[in-house]
Amino acid sequence: MAAQPKALGSDVYMIDTAMSGYSGITAAYAILGSRPCLVETGTATSAPVVQEALAGLGVGADDLATIVVTHIHLDHAGGVGDLSAAFPRAQVVVQDAGARHLADPSRLMASARRVFGSAMDSLFGELLPTDAARIKTIGDVGTIDLGGGRRLEGHHTPGHARHHLGLVDSVTGDLYVGDAAGLYIPAQDASSTTGLDSSGAMGQMLPGTPPPDFDLELALASLHRFHDLRATRLLFSHYGPITAVDDALDRAAEEMRLWVSIVRDAWQEAAGAFDLDHAVAMVRDRTRERYADLLARPEVAAKFEALSSAVANVSGIARWLESEEKRVREES
């Protein structure tokens, strides 16, 4: 049975999308009101879970006004096709660069199958196409009408992915960060509305730097943009809310820089023969003490590794380093 949505205040509810049967790693958010909105869909296999949660909140097939995704990676947007069919009046909102992949997911799915192979179906399922006429796009900035004068403001925030949006609620100041700030793993006794433990401390932050789009400079610029938005709370797709906004954004930048620094060391040691396994081992060795609290919860560490593996994140950084090296050669 699916977990009940968690009320976060101001008609905002967090829905655990239960990716691959795991709880507590992937979240969608419902914003209720005269024009109900769903932020993120989870995977295609999560679509029934999300639909059931929305029904429990009183959102019927004809009620949902908008489905918006922060980006088109399958743990965030894999359920768009299923849910747009289940909610036929809902407009689907995505950043410009992602729209064509929702209308025709064939290239995206083929690429994902090359990466995940036989695990694709159990991890994500099949992203179904969405009628292009129902898709609205946001470029650098744009707005989504939530009704009653309330709106979501979309801000293009590439770095994790070129089709990434950050979304700000005009009433609450909540900022839906997608993966632009990486992953947030709450402390064991974290509050469901603040994300802080009983002493006010944060949980663990991890970077999200997968190929093919990771770009450190763009990612850091996106975090600066988030700082400038002066949000009151961050709502992570992985996983949950946190009120320590500036601290979390600073930590996100710190984690990115740290991983890039370690992979750069491995890259330079390799001298043209980069060894991915060695680089991953270096990252794990140099961060073991830093992530001791997380590693002390092996079941939690394992499910987040399944979601965002060290191999994928190191691969994304290595790809960026290669592109930077090529750019420098061409400019010299």
Side-chain angles (χ1 to χ4, degrees), residues 27 63 83 94 116 136 141 150 155 163 170 179 181 198 227 233 272 286 289-290 301-302 306 318:
D63 299 327
L83 290 174
V94 64
F116 294 100
K136 173 187 174 181
V141 293
R150 188 175 184 175
H155 297 265
H163 41 73
S170 65
D179 282 350
S198 56
H227 270 296
R233 183 170 59 174
R286 295 191 189 181
E289 184 175 344
R290 185 182 188 88

Side-chain angles (χ1 to χ4, degrees), residues 101-239:
H101 295 291
L102 296 187
D104 178 6
S106 56
R107 288 181 61 186
L108 177 64
M109 291 303 301
S111 175
R113 287 193 181 281
R114 285 194 296 272
V115 173
F116 294 100
S118 60
M120 257 295 298
D121 292 332
S122 60
L123 280 174
F124 302 112
E126 188 78 16
L127 170 59
L128 301 179
T130 298
D131 181 357
R134 293 178 60 188
I135 299 174
K136 173 187 174 181
T137 64
I138 290 176
D140 186 52
V141 293
T143 60
I144 299 161
D145 181 13
L146 300 178
R150 188 175 184 175
R151 65 191 183 280
L152 279 180
E153 300 167 352
H155 297 265
H156 187 208
T157 46
H160 172 82
R162 63 190 179 91
H163 41 73
H164 196 287
L165 290 171
L167 303 157
V168 182
D169 186 323
S170 65
V171 167
T172 64
D174 286 336
L175 170 55
Y176 297 84
V177 297
D179 282 350
L183 287 70
Y184 171 63
I185 305 173
Q188 198 157 8
D189 65 342
S191 159
S192 64
T193 58
T194 70
L196 304 176
D197 69 14
S198 56
S199 69
M202 288 172 50
Q204 183 63 62
M205 303 279 302
L206 295 172
T209 59
D213 291 343
F214 173 68
D215 182 302
L216 178 63
E217 300 309 319
L218 288 177
L220 293 175
S222 292
L223 291 177
H224 284 305
R225 190 167 189 175
F226 280 171
H227 270 296
D228 291 343
L229 292 172
R230 309 310 305 165
T232 57
R233 183 170 59 174
L234 305 179
L235 299 184
F236 281 80
S237 301
H238 318 293
Y239 178 82

Side-chain angles (χ1 to χ4, degrees), residues 181-325:
L183 287 70
Y184 171 63
I185 305 173
Q188 198 157 8
D189 65 342
S191 159
S192 64
T193 58
T194 70
L196 304 176
D197 69 14
S198 56
S199 69
M202 288 172 50
Q204 183 63 62
M205 303 279 302
L206 295 172
T209 59
D213 291 343
F214 173 68
D215 182 302
L216 178 63
E217 300 309 319
L218 288 177
L220 293 175
S222 292
L223 291 177
H224 284 305
R225 190 167 189 175
F226 280 171
H227 270 296
D228 291 343
L229 292 172
R230 309 310 305 165
T232 57
R233 183 170 59 174
L234 305 179
L235 299 184
F236 281 80
S237 301
H238 318 293
Y239 178 82
I242 184 168
T243 52
V245 172
D246 289 339
D247 287 347
L249 294 177
D250 288 344
R251 279 274 299 278
E254 185 179 333
E255 298 302 322
M256 282 185 206
R257 289 191 179 101
L258 173 63
W259 279 56
V260 168
S261 174
I262 298 170
V263 177
R264 182 179 278 118
D265 286 348
W267 181 272
Q268 291 172 346
E269 286 178 12
F274 182 72
D275 185 330
L276 176 62
D277 290 339
H278 176 62
V280 171
M282 283 180 63
V283 167
R284 287 178 171 154
D285 181 60
R286 295 191 189 181
T287 60
R288 187 172 289 111
E289 184 175 344
R290 185 182 188 88
Y291 300 154
D293 289 346
L294 173 60
L295 295 174
R297 294 188 285 161
E299 73 290 347
V300 177
K303 67 183 181 182
F304 277 92
E305 175 69 12
L307 170 70
S308 179
S309 72
V311 170
N313 288 326
V314 170
S315 296
I317 294 169
R319 182 178 176 130
W320 174 73
L321 288 170
E322 182 179 19
S323 68
E324 285 296 285
E325 188 175 90

